[in-house]
Amino acid sequence: MDFEVDSMSSRKNTSVKCSNCGARLVVPPQARTICCAACRATTNVGRSRDPVRQAVGIVKAVVLNICSSISSLSSSSWSSGSSSYGYPTMGQPSSFPRVRGKKRAVLVGISYAGRRYELKGTVNDVNCMRYMLTERFGFPAECILVLTEGERDPYRVPTKENLRAAMRWLVSGCVAGDSLVFHFSGHGVQRLDSSGDEMDGFDEALCPLDFESNGTIMDDEINDTLVRPLRRGVKLHALVDACHSGTVLDLPYLCRLSRAGYYQWENHTASSGVYKGTNGGLAILISGCDDHQTSADTSAFAGSASTGAMTYSFIQAMESEPGTTYGRLLTAMRAAIRASGIGITINGPIASLMRKVFNFGSTQVPQLSSSEMFDIYRKPFLL
């Protein structure tokens, strides 16, 4: 097998020391400044680079690419055999879609019906996302896998093992040109970090339907399953409408966007040195809130339906400005949630599916993280 490292991927792995605390920071291409996630200080990178350090960065990039390639020499390593987490990765259930379109999606909505923490809007979230993906972005209906408690197929009920299988189905056999979407509407939690790779000392996790008996799905596992297999030319968008979801994919970079519209990418590369990026592809997460925040499930007025705040604001932003950039999308979503205390409504074709009004005040702030940094005001949001 040939291993290729172009100049862009080489520059992406060069590094500098934080001007304040001395921590090693990974510098992406064309960056002039970088914010340290440990001490929040900003370090000027400049245009001129030490050629020795640049050469070292290239060597590191080659090693990382080789390690990533070895870990995925066989595509079956992601869909059969055993994973590093010790759970069996058997063949996909026969009821999962067999069509391998260039656009595929997994949509998960968990209500936890009958429990004290029941959510009312998650199934509506899934229905609205499915409509938007098929009608606005051209996703074939037969290439969308839905997991909710109402599914008759036992393999499409969002238990822990079924959710794992669905994530593996989404990325299995991915090739250049594939556009993948993972949407989760449900509960999220934080757990104490035992591996030492979290800046705040906590791992983030998603709660499947049976999490009380079988446990949560940790961000380390989600990264291993959804992010690491992404080959060059493959694009994944994860939309997670859950509490504590800011970095639930464990991606290397988190975008800090001020209310005035200024942004900086924070380096969240694991201090342990564990690689959390892709195998050459692109992974982007839009989450319902920061790691320390909670996400709201809206209560609706009589005659309206409930929905998750993040899903609502995302669809509203896409309806209001098709072809928007990531920066404008994130700004619009945050503005919608801030305005929720006075009530806002959706206009457009999707209104027939989700005609609803916010009637709560919320402090949650949607977040953007990525496997690589980019200009959020120039890069168009495309699925």
Side-chain angles (χ1 to χ4, degrees):
M1 177 178 290
D2 294 327
F3 303 103
E4 297 182 359
V5 181
D6 59 24
S7 59
M8 184 66 72
S9 61
S10 300
R11 293 195 300 271
K12 181 170 63 178
N13 287 277
T14 55
S15 60
V16 297
K17 285 186 178 181
C18 173
S19 59
N20 182 53
C21 68
R24 183 65 62 181
L25 306 176
V26 177
V27 180
Q30 301 178 353
R32 296 186 180 181
T33 63
I34 189 167
C35 179
C36 177
C39 69
R40 305 284 182 173
T42 298
T43 300
N44 291 321
V45 177
R47 294 187 177 180
S48 60
R49 302 297 304 277
D50 183 341
V52 175
R53 286 189 178 181
Q54 195 168 21
V56 171
I58 293 174
V59 173
K60 287 182 178 179
V62 172
V63 173
L64 286 175
N65 273 266
I66 291 175
C67 290
S68 297
S69 299
I70 290 175
S71 69
S72 58
L73 280 175
S74 171
S75 61
S76 62
S77 64
W78 302 103
S79 57
S80 62
S82 298
S83 79
S84 59
Y85 286 89
Y87 58 86
T89 55
M90 308 299 290
Q92 305 301 333
S94 58
S95 60
F96 278 16
R98 293 299 176 186
V99 179
R100 305 303 296 173
K102 301 299 289 182
K103 293 188 173 187
R104 304 189 295 277
V106 168
L107 310 179
V108 184
I110 312 179
S111 299
Y112 315 92
R115 307 180 196 183
R116 67 186 185 278
Y117 45 82
E118 180 177 354
L119 297 173
K120 301 295 185 182
T122 55
V123 175
N124 290 329
D125 290 345
V126 166
N127 290 336
C128 294
M129 284 298 302
R130 176 164 49 185
Y131 182 87
M132 170 161 279
L133 290 178
T134 56
E135 297 299 318
R136 285 285 178 269
F137 293 102
F139 278 65
E142 62 272 18
C143 294
I144 298 177
L145 174 60
V146 172
L147 273 65
T148 67
E149 288 147 276
E151 299 295 321
R152 294 183 178 181
D153 180 355
Y155 291 106
R156 299 194 184 204
V157 175
T159 62
K160 184 174 184 177
E161 285 306 314
N162 288 349
L163 185 49
R164 283 171 162 172
M167 290 192 294
R168 294 195 299 270
W169 170 85
L170 182 63
V171 300
S172 175
C174 60
V175 295
D178 284 357
S179 177
L180 314 177
V181 170
F182 175 76
H183 174 259
F184 178 90
S185 181
H187 281 303
V189 295
Q190 284 188 312
R191 295 281 185 262
L192 284 174
D193 173 34
S194 59
S195 61
D197 63 352
E198 296 284 347
M199 290 290 186
D200 60 358
F202 290 93
D203 281 308
E204 288 66 48
L206 300 180
C207 297
L209 180 62
D210 56 347
F211 76 96
E212 288 185 306
S213 56
N214 291 322
T216 59
I217 301 181
M218 307 297 290
D219 52 5
D220 294 323
E221 178 179 341
I222 298 170
N223 180 276
D224 189 58
T225 305
L226 283 181
V227 177
R228 294 293 304 282
L230 300 177
R231 302 174 183 274
R232 186 178 299 277
V234 178
K235 177 172 55 180
L236 167 74
H237 284 89
L239 306 166
V240 180
D241 198 344
C243 298
H244 312 295
S245 55
T247 60
V248 75
L249 259 63
D250 257 2
L251 296 173
Y253 302 107
L254 175 66
C255 182
R256 291 297 186 189
L257 177 65
S258 71
R259 186 173 293 194
Y262 299 104
Y263 75 93
Q264 280 189 323
W265 287 98
E266 280 186 357
N267 181 8
H268 279 243
T269 302
S271 58
S272 61
V274 176
Y275 182 63
K276 294 288 188 175
T278 68
N279 190 25
L282 173 64
I284 293 176
L285 167 66
I286 298 176
S287 54
C289 61
D290 210 340
D291 285 339
H292 65 280
Q293 295 177 328
T294 57
S295 290
D297 186 43
T298 79
S299 57
F301 295 121
S304 297
S306 295
T307 187
M310 176 264 181
T311 302
Y312 178 95
S313 63
F314 171 77
I315 291 178
Q316 175 176 297
M318 295 307 302
E319 282 287 283
S320 301
E321 189 178 353
T324 188
T325 64
Y326 287 89
R328 292 180 65 86
L329 172 64
L330 193 61
T331 298
M333 290 175 64
R334 292 180 174 187
I337 291 179
R338 284 197 301 270
S340 62
I342 59 174
I344 50 177
T345 59
I346 283 185
N347 297 312
I350 295 181
S352 60
L353 271 181
M354 50 185 305
R355 195 176 301 279
K356 56 187 68 69
V357 181
F358 279 129
N359 65 346
F360 63 94
S362 177
T363 57
Q364 70 181 86
V365 181
Q367 302 294 318
L368 172 69
S369 58
S370 176
S371 58
E372 60 186 54
M373 294 192 275
F374 54 86
D375 187 334
I376 66 173
Y377 291 115
R378 291 192 176 185
K379 189 176 182 67
F381 179 85
L382 298 172
L383 294 181

